[in-house]
């Protein structure tokens, strides 16, 4: 066997794992066209077609399934062995891909990143901010960070910090023009800064604690955003009411640039979680992040 044939084996293995070329190419840090070419060369050498390709999907042929059953475990062992050697030398390595909402990055990831990278100098961290809800496995990410209620049930979830409380705020200028609402029902008369989820296109409904239950309100307003952090900036400019996390607006409340309303109806949510697939063969770079996050949140 020529050494270059290993490229085709790894390419095939990763495409089969991700069920597509885009995520597999991202993990291998090559272009989808180069990945496709490597697999074609492998198929030519073997004399069989391993993948069924359409414009929308990729699936294994019968021969591909049989071949994967033989080579997949072996390749997994080879890669795991290499990572274990790095761990034995005290150096998890490779590219660690994370996906997080921008607000999660600002509130829980950013304070951790410098320390983690200093402890793990051979790890290259690639962070993608995405306000939508995605399948991290399908998209080729090692882990994600989201609010607890957004994490898929088949994922392992590690809390990053404690519960978070929502605050509805507005600038003093806005509240001089429009009397502060005393009940969520009065939001119909206000300009509310709305959030649209990038993936689904849905508008987020504001949630309030009314006695022992959460009630959703479909608010209206002249500004709709896809960046959760921008709602605070918009409120500071006097555009309208913002629905934001207490931690983000507290400094502006202390300096009296923002005022809080509907305080007695503010809900508290479980907070942010680092989540990842439940696998026995987790790469060393992900294990290093999990252990570091556990130490930081004790």
């Amino acid at each position: 066997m020529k050494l270059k044939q290993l490229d085709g084996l790894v390419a095939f293995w990763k495409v089969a794992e991700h069920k597509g070329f885009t995520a597999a190419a991202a993990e291998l840090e090559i272009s989808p066209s180069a990945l496709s070419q490597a697999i074609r060369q492998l198929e030519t050498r073997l004399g069989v077609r391993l993948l069924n390709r359409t414009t929308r999907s990729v699936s294994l042929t019968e021969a591909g399934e049989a071949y994967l059953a033989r080579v997949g475990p072996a390749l997994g062992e080879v890669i795991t062995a290499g990572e274990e050697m790095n761990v034995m030398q005290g150096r998890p390595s490779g590219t660690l891909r994370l996906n997080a909402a921008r607000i999660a990055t600002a509130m829980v990831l950013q304070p951790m990143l410098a320390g983690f990278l200093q402890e793990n100098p051979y790890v290259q961290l690639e962070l993608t901010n995405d306000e939508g809800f995605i399948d991290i496995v399908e998209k080729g990410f090692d882990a994600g960070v989201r609010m607890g209620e957004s994490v898929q049930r088949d994922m392992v979830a590690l809390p990053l910090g404690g519960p978070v409380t929502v605050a509805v705020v507005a600038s003093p200028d806005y509240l001089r023009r429009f009397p502060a609402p005393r009940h969520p029902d009065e939001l119909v008369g206000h300009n509310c800064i709305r959030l649209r989820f990038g993936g689904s296109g849905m508008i987020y409904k504001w949630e309030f604690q009314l006695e022992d239950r959460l009630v959703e309100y479909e608010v209206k307003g002249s500004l709709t955003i896809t960046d959760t952090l921008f709602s605070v900036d918009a409120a500071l400019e006097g555009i309208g009411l913002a629905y934001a996390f207490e931690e983000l607006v507290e400094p502006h409340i202390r300096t009296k640039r923002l005022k809080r309303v509907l305080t007695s109806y503010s809900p508290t949510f479980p907070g942010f979680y680092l989540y990842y697939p439940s696998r026995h063969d987790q790469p060393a770079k992900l294990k290093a992040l999990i252990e570091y996050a556990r130490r930081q949140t004790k």
Side-chain angles (χ1 to χ4, degrees), residues 162-224:
V164 292
T165 300
V166 165
V168 179
V169 294
S171 70
D173 174 65
Y174 176 86
L175 293 175
R176 279 193 292 269
R177 291 181 283 128
F178 302 94
R182 292 169 296 178
H183 188 279
D185 288 348
E186 296 178 13
L187 289 173
V188 293
H190 281 271
N191 197 32
C192 299
I193 301 162
R194 306 190 306 166
L195 172 69
R196 185 186 298 278
F197 292 118
S200 65
M202 294 178 61
I203 299 291
Y204 177 70
K205 295 178 181 178
W206 291 13
E207 296 175 90
F208 291 97
Q209 190 74 43
L210 271 63
E211 296 180 352
D212 60 346
R213 63 193 179 99
L214 278 177
V215 178
E216 294 182 340
Y217 283 79
E218 189 171 342
V219 298
K220 302 295 182 182
S222 61
L223 177 63
T224 301

Side-chain angles (χ1 to χ4, degrees), residues 109 111-120 158 160 274 286-298:
L109 272 184
M112 293 173 45
L113 295 185
F116 171 73
L117 291 173
Q118 287 170 7
E119 278 194 13
N120 300 276
L158 174 68
L160 299 178
L274 173 70
L286 178 56
K287 288 181 181 178
L289 178 64
I290 294 168
E291 290 306 314
Y292 184 84
R294 284 194 176 120
R295 297 201 310 270
Q296 297 303 307
T297 53
K298 280 184 179 179

Side-chain angles (χ1 to χ4, degrees), residues 268-285:
T268 297
F269 297 106
F272 295 98
Y273 285 74
L274 173 70
Y275 66 98
Y276 46 90
S278 176
R279 294 175 178 166
H280 297 295
D281 57 344
Q282 286 173 349
K285 57 194 176 184

